[in-house]
Amino acid sequence: MAERDWRAQKRSETRRRITTAAFALFDERGYATVSVGEIAHAAGVSVPTFYAYFRTKEHVVLPEQDLDWIGPHLAGQPAGVPLPEQIRLGVQRMVSGLDEDELGLLLRRWRYVREDHTLQLRGADRENRSARVVVAELGVDPDTPEGAATVVVVAACLRAATAALLRWAAGAGRSSLPQLLDEAFAALRSI
């Protein structure tokens, strides 16, 4: 058991070292100009080691998400809460659970996304994966008219959350992220 803990800790430290090195280079030179080889060198790892931790450079900024929160959150909602409100509450809970360091890291990540088209595409991919999980958790058949409508609502809600994150990054984190999320969902409701 101790051997497994040691290995997990070592993997976590290596992942953190790669991320820290990458972010330092992105801050210094901009995301687009930094290569995977440069990140690996700065982190003191080989390029194959980099790829053992991250599929692409984009995954350093926007890693794979843990989407396990979605099922329990949707199951725990009171009856009658509209789906957009369920999603807004879930995103708000995630944000409120972040400490200051995690919020700072999130802000850096979304600053990079805001400035780079490939990262925006990666963000859209994450939205799509999240939407698929939400739709599956709801037991919705996306090939029916009702299911297709639910897919549109879920996608719009996740896009609203992304818009709030991008707006937060544009303002260098000076605005309240929970407030920006509320404003994005309010805009969605007003349509």
Side-chain angles (χ1 to χ4, degrees):
M1 186 67 157
E3 178 72 18
R4 190 174 339 169
D5 291 345
W6 176 82
R7 287 179 188 230
Q9 181 179 358
K10 185 174 187 222
R11 284 192 60 78
S12 179
E13 288 170 2
T14 301
R15 177 179 282 278
R16 188 174 19 263
R17 194 168 71 243
I18 293 169
T19 301
T20 300
F23 284 14
L25 289 169
F26 300 158
D27 287 345
E28 179 184 319
R29 298 190 0 232
Y31 173 83
T33 65
V34 176
S35 72
V36 167
E38 292 169 318
I39 295 168
H41 178 75
V45 300
S46 66
V47 170
T49 298
F50 172 92
Y51 284 115
Y53 287 84
F54 298 99
R55 286 190 339 190
T56 66
K57 183 172 82 166
E58 290 86 9
H59 284 80
V60 175
V61 176
L62 292 175
E64 295 297 335
Q65 293 175 281
D66 177 6
L67 299 174
D68 291 341
W69 69 273
I70 292 174
H73 172 71
L74 290 175
Q77 291 289 340
V81 173
L83 182 57
E85 183 63 6
Q86 291 180 38
I87 294 171
R88 185 191 70 78
L89 290 170
V91 174
Q92 287 287 20
R93 282 189 191 125
M94 284 179 22
V95 168
S96 68
L98 299 176
D99 65 29
E100 192 173 315
D101 289 339
E102 292 167 324
L103 275 172
L105 182 60
L106 185 66
L107 180 60
R108 285 178 86 182
R109 290 180 189 283
W110 284 95
R111 263 191 22 241
Y112 302 141
V113 171
R114 191 176 155 278
E115 297 168 0
D116 186 85
H117 179 69
T118 58
L119 289 172
Q120 292 166 17
L121 293 175
R122 172 79 183 116
D125 180 57
R126 284 170 43 124
E127 279 180 28
N128 290 335
R129 288 174 187 256
S130 297
R132 285 194 296 273
V133 171
V134 171
V135 167
E137 287 291 336
L138 292 170
V140 170
D141 179 356
D143 295 328
T144 65
E146 298 82 13
T150 299
V151 169
V152 169
V153 169
V154 169
C157 290
L158 295 176
R159 187 65 201 147
T162 296
L165 286 162
L166 290 168
R167 189 171 164 212
W168 182 56
R174 287 184 294 274
S175 297
S176 159
L177 181 53
Q179 181 178 340
L180 293 174
L181 286 163
D182 284 345
E183 289 173 7
F185 278 83
L188 192 59
R189 282 190 302 271
S190 72
I191 295 176

